[in-house]
Amino acid sequence: MGHFYFTRHGQTVWNVENKICGATDSPLTEKGRQQAKELAQSIMEQGIAIDEILYSPLSRAADTAREISALTGIPARVEPRLMEQCFGKWESTPRDGADFRKEKENFAISFEGGESMLHLCQRIYNLIDDIKKEPEKVYLLVAHNGISRAIHSYFYDMSNEEYASFGIKNCEICRYDWPQ
């Protein structure tokens, strides 16, 4: 049948500072821009056929997508549903904090002003269901680590702990195939 690709944005200032970004905008570093260019080069060298790039409205993903689009010629457009999960009170706190790690395993809480894992998955699953209706079209989704978890859980069973700890590297590309 069909498939699509997913990548996480390039390195950000807050990635370097070990802070939770969530829905807070943190710009790409120079290394992050270089990672996006290297991913574009890899896509071309491997002959990966992509029809369109959909990207999160946050600048770190938008700038990554624009770099890829500029070098590959693949058209790109914003997809609001790819916005990173809002982690409420946890945004700008250390990524590796024990309290946050534990709280991420509770899927129905909204982190005091944020978005629950369940709500995040609902919007991402709806997006995936929409793009699945066009199996002949191959998309590259450019978004965030939280979005990578939701996408991965659409295709694979995961415990709450596995979901909470799942992640991919900056500008790592993953392929997801529609089930037969």
Side-chain angles (χ1 to χ4, degrees), residues 54 70 84 171:
L54 303 178
E84 177 61 297
C171 287

Side-chain angles (χ1 to χ4, degrees), residues 12 34 37 78 129 151 158:
T12 69
Q34 186 60 38
K37 291 173 185 170
V78 69
D129 286 343
I151 290 172
M158 302 170 81

Side-chain angles (χ1 to χ4, degrees), residues 7-156:
T7 192
R8 181 181 174 201
H9 58 76
Q11 181 191 71
T12 69
V13 172
W14 277 15
N15 291 155
V16 173
E17 295 174 356
N18 193 40
K19 292 181 180 177
I20 298 165
C21 296
T24 304
D25 229 343
S26 178
L28 292 177
T29 61
E30 279 308 309
K31 179 179 179 178
R33 291 187 184 286
Q34 186 60 38
Q35 288 170 325
K37 291 173 185 170
E38 289 169 5
L39 176 56
Q41 189 65 38
S42 178
I43 288 168
M44 292 186 297
E45 287 172 0
Q46 293 180 47
I48 298 174
I50 296 168
D51 297 304
E52 187 174 15
I53 300 169
L54 303 178
Y55 61 88
S56 161
L58 292 172
S59 69
R60 59 191 183 265
D63 291 347
T64 299
R66 287 186 198 112
E67 292 278 1
I68 295 167
S69 178
L71 291 170
T72 63
I74 301 167
R77 67 180 161 94
V78 69
E79 170 48 71
R81 292 176 287 183
L82 287 171
M83 175 89 140
E84 177 61 297
Q85 179 177 4
C86 178
F87 291 108
K89 71 176 186 174
W90 297 104
E91 296 201 10
S92 82
T93 66
R95 292 178 55 88
D96 55 3
D99 290 342
F100 176 66
R101 265 200 319 271
K102 185 67 180 156
E103 190 127 332
K104 271 191 352 185
E105 293 177 23
N106 298 310
F107 285 15
I109 61 168
S110 61
F111 308 109
E112 295 179 27
E115 179 182 26
S116 74
M117 301 285 180
L118 295 177
H119 282 116
L120 168 72
C121 285
Q122 178 185 13
R123 73 176 154 90
I124 296 304
Y125 289 7
N126 289 344
L127 171 62
I128 294 171
D129 286 343
D130 287 348
I131 66 174
K132 188 164 53 170
K133 293 174 186 170
E134 302 177 89
E136 71 287 346
K137 192 167 183 178
V138 178
Y139 291 97
L140 170 62
L141 309 181
V142 180
H144 312 276
N145 218 15
I147 304 305
S148 76
R149 290 181 197 98
I151 290 172
H152 201 75
S153 74
Y154 184 96
F155 291 91
Y156 302 99

